[in-house]
Amino acid sequence: MPCCGPTPVKSNDSKSSTAVLVFYGSQTGTAEAYGKMLGTYAASHGFEPIVCSMNDAVDVVSEGKAKGAAAMIFVTSTYGTGEFPSNASAFYKELTAGKLDKHIAATPYAILGLGNSKNEQYNAAAKKLDAAFNSKGLKSILPMQLSCELQANGHDAVFRTWKRSVWAALGCSAVGTLGSTYAVEKAT
């Protein structure tokens, strides 16, 4: 199944860029929106982003697209009583069954969990995902970040700080450029 989000782009130096895989698990659309934003930011930093739901990521990873990627970046919420969102549960099932191991063995990752700290299962999906990666010996490019929607600015302030940390961990400056990747035409 094709992924949504930005089309892979070439970096400004005309050489093919390294892939960054952005996978989201979203029940209400918040994690999906952040995932799509991360894809745009990845392109602005010269990466070739692939952005899709975690369930669609099963195919992306199985096709070998995680090998050689700079990182797999996950943004996930928790649904109900600690479950993964419906568009993320298949990825977790395949991951814990060991079916993705050979495809992700050397790919670093980062996780942003979105939740509500009043919930007994606060960010359970992100915690389970991180524990599964740790049990497989995968390396995180930075510590898992957990966000609570009850903060003054909701998830936005945490997301902004976290995404800067992701790019720094990948060796990028805080500000990317899209160069001539996109053009805006004046309406007549």
Side-chain angles (χ1 to χ4, degrees), residues 1-5 22-24 32 50-63 65 86-88 90:
M1 182 175 289
C3 290
C4 57
V22 181
F23 303 142
Y24 57 82
E32 180 177 357
I50 296 176
V51 179
C52 62
S53 74
M54 289 170 63
N55 284 354
D56 289 342
V58 171
D59 291 335
V60 172
V61 169
S62 296
E63 292 168 3
K65 294 181 180 172
S86 57
N87 67 354

Side-chain angles (χ1 to χ4, degrees), residues 56-157:
D56 289 342
V58 171
D59 291 335
V60 172
V61 169
S62 296
E63 292 168 3
K65 294 181 180 172
K67 290 184 179 178
M72 297 181 294
I73 303 172
F74 293 85
V75 181
T76 188
S77 60
T78 298
Y79 181 67
T81 57
E83 293 89 30
F84 278 85
S86 57
N87 67 354
S89 57
F91 182 89
Y92 183 70
K93 181 179 177 185
E94 296 291 305
L95 177 69
T96 56
K99 295 180 180 178
L100 302 177
D101 291 359
K102 68 180 181 180
H103 302 293
I104 62 171
T107 309
Y109 71 95
I111 299 173
L112 173 63
L114 307 179
N116 179 323
S117 61
K118 298 279 186 194
N119 185 320
E120 187 176 301
Q121 298 296 325
Y122 174 62
N123 275 306
K127 292 173 184 176
K128 289 176 189 176
L129 186 62
D130 191 51
F133 286 145
N134 283 325
S135 74
K136 295 177 182 303
L138 271 73
K139 302 296 181 202
S140 178
I141 61 172
L142 66 153
M144 174 179 53
Q145 178 68 58
L146 304 178
S147 177
C148 176
E149 67 188 353
L150 300 177
Q151 297 172 111
N153 292 319
H155 297 299
D156 288 342

Side-chain angles (χ1 to χ4, degrees), residues 22-39:
V22 181
F23 303 142
Y24 57 82
S26 189
Q27 200 68 34
T28 62
T30 304
E32 180 177 357
Y34 286 139
K36 289 178 179 179
M37 282 187 250
L38 285 168

